[in-house]
């Protein structure tokens, strides 16, 4: 059973007790919020070396660190050094976004070496496999995309980003939109181009019930990715971003109903005066599901200084209620 299902049955798990001590919150309060879906504890049942972390209503804001290889630089020792730096900086979670080398082997090595909660993006694994076996990302199949989800769950990944909101309808709109920066999400781009190339619906949307079954079996938290997040301030709050959020809100409700923990990923580039409104909108549409923002970046004219522009956006977002 998942943490969510146990919470609904009135059970207080060891993970809840650990988080309650860290956050100075009564375990029963945590249990109630997990049961509602406003708080999550990513805790894959296949892991034994994890330091548990609560994310959501009434808890301290958590920070995620991103690491990972690229096709141009595959060096496991380098990724380990990044992971040690994330631990030293007291990151709460990290994501392995590797797209080069044997990504499954790299992921397993990272999981074995650190107790931090880990997240991944399974479509990256599917894309790497397609390139390795067929030379083209677009040679991913619906089944290979789903198999990547299974692999990550079985390996002990605590949460996965799945771009379920990049539907065939929205992908078609994206091709005709007046966006300045188009699609800037890597997973969103892979998915939208796959839809166009195959003239089929996004498997992660069409087969969402299967994803829920996998997530429920292993208690993998779903992080519903924002494949249409704005890549510049001018694209913020456009029809694509809002359309995807509406889709994700519906999927989040299905996940919670199925006993699967879920959070919502938020925008990238957002003007300062929109951040609070966007946080409140997400919370209202998604039944106060935990909100995970990528920054947000508050200017388009400071490349190389994302640590500063993201910190500004993140501080405002945190004060507005992101998790």
């Amino acid at each position: 059973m998942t943490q969510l299902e146990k919470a609904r049955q009135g059970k207080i798990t060891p993970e809840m007790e650990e988080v309650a001590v860290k956050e100075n919150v009564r375990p029963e309060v945590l249990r109630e919020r997990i049961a509602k879906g406003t708080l999550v504890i990513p805790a894959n049942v296949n892991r034994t070396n994890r330091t548990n972390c609560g994310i959501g209503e009434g808890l301290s804001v958590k920070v995620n660190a991103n690491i990972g290889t690229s096709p141009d630089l595959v060096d496991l020792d380098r990724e380990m050094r990044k992971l040690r730096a994330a631990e030293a900086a007291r990151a709460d979670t990290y994501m392995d976004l590797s797209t080069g080398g044997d990504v499954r082997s790299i992921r397993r090595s990272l999981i074995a070496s650190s107790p931090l909660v880990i997240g991944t993006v399974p479509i990256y694994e599917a894309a790497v496999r397609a390139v390795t076996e067929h030379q083209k990302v677009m040679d991913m199949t619906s089944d290979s995309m789903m198999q990547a989800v299974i692999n990550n769950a079985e390996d002990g990944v605590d949460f996965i980003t799945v771009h379920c909101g990049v539907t065939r309808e929205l992908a078609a709109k994206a091709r005709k939109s007046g966006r300045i920066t188009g699609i800037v999400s890597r997973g969103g781009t892979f998915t939208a181009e796959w839809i166009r190339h195959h003239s089929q619906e996004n498997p992660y949307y069409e087969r969402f019930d299967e994803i829920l079954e996998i997530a429920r079996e292993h208690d993998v938290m779903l992080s519903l990715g924002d494949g249409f997040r704005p890549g510049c301030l001018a694209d913020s709050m456009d029809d694509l971003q809002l359309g995807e959020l509406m889709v994700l809100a519906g999927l989040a409700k299905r996940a919670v109903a199925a006993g699967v923990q879920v959070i919502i990923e938020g925008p990238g580039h957002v003007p300062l005066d929109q951040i609070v409104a966007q946080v409140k909108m997400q919370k209202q549409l998604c039944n106060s599901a935990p909100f995970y923002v990528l920054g947000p970046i508050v200017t388009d004219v400071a490349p190389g200084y994302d640590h500063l522009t993201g910190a500004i956006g993140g501080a405002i977002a945190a004060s507005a209620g992101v998790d």
Side-chain angles (χ1 to χ4, degrees), residues 85-240:
E87 291 173 332
R90 298 178 65 184
D92 300 286
T93 69
Y94 73 102
M95 294 193 75
D96 173 23
L97 306 182
S98 292
T99 56
D102 184 343
V103 296
R104 192 171 191 187
S105 176
I106 291 167
R107 176 171 69 240
R108 287 171 166 173
S109 296
L110 293 171
I111 291 173
S113 73
S114 173
L116 284 185
V117 169
I118 180 175
T120 57
V121 184
I123 197 172
Y124 292 177
E125 178 182 333
V128 170
R129 179 180 176 184
V131 170
T132 301
E133 296 180 356
H134 307 288
Q135 286 75 54
K136 295 180 181 178
V137 171
M138 290 303 103
D139 285 330
M140 293 184 297
T141 66
S142 178
D143 286 343
S144 72
M145 292 166 72
M146 295 300 296
Q147 185 60 50
V149 173
I150 294 171
N151 291 346
N152 280 262
E154 291 181 343
D155 286 348
V157 171
D158 299 301
F159 68 98
I160 58 172
T161 292
V162 278
H163 296 86
C164 305
V166 181
T167 64
R168 189 175 184 181
E169 178 183 359
L170 288 173
K173 288 183 178 180
R175 292 194 291 273
K176 301 176 183 177
S177 76
R179 274 194 164 191
I180 292 176
T181 52
I183 305 175
V184 297
S185 160
R186 180 163 51 186
T189 300
F190 287 166
T191 306
E193 284 302 301
W194 189 93
I195 291 169
R196 181 193 62 80
H197 183 81
H198 293 275
S199 297
Q200 296 179 22
E201 182 56 274
N202 174 7
Y204 289 150
Y205 176 74
E206 190 172 48
R207 301 172 67 173
F208 189 65
D209 285 338
E210 294 178 47
I211 292 176
L212 292 179
E213 291 175 6
I214 298 165
R216 183 173 177 271
E217 178 183 355
H218 302 277
D219 199 0
V220 175
M221 186 190 77
L222 299 183
S223 181
L224 299 183
D226 52 345
F228 291 123
R229 67 176 177 267
C232 66
L233 302 189
D235 293 341
S236 182
M237 290 281 272
D238 67 358
D239 290 344
L240 288 175

Side-chain angles (χ1 to χ4, degrees), residues 23 25 27 53 62 110 141 152 159 185 220 225 231 256 272 287 292 312:
E23 301 280 351
V25 176
C53 164
K62 302 304 184 296
L110 293 171
T141 66
N152 280 262
F159 68 98
S185 160
V220 175
V256 172
L272 276 171
N287 290 339
Y292 169 24
I312 292 168

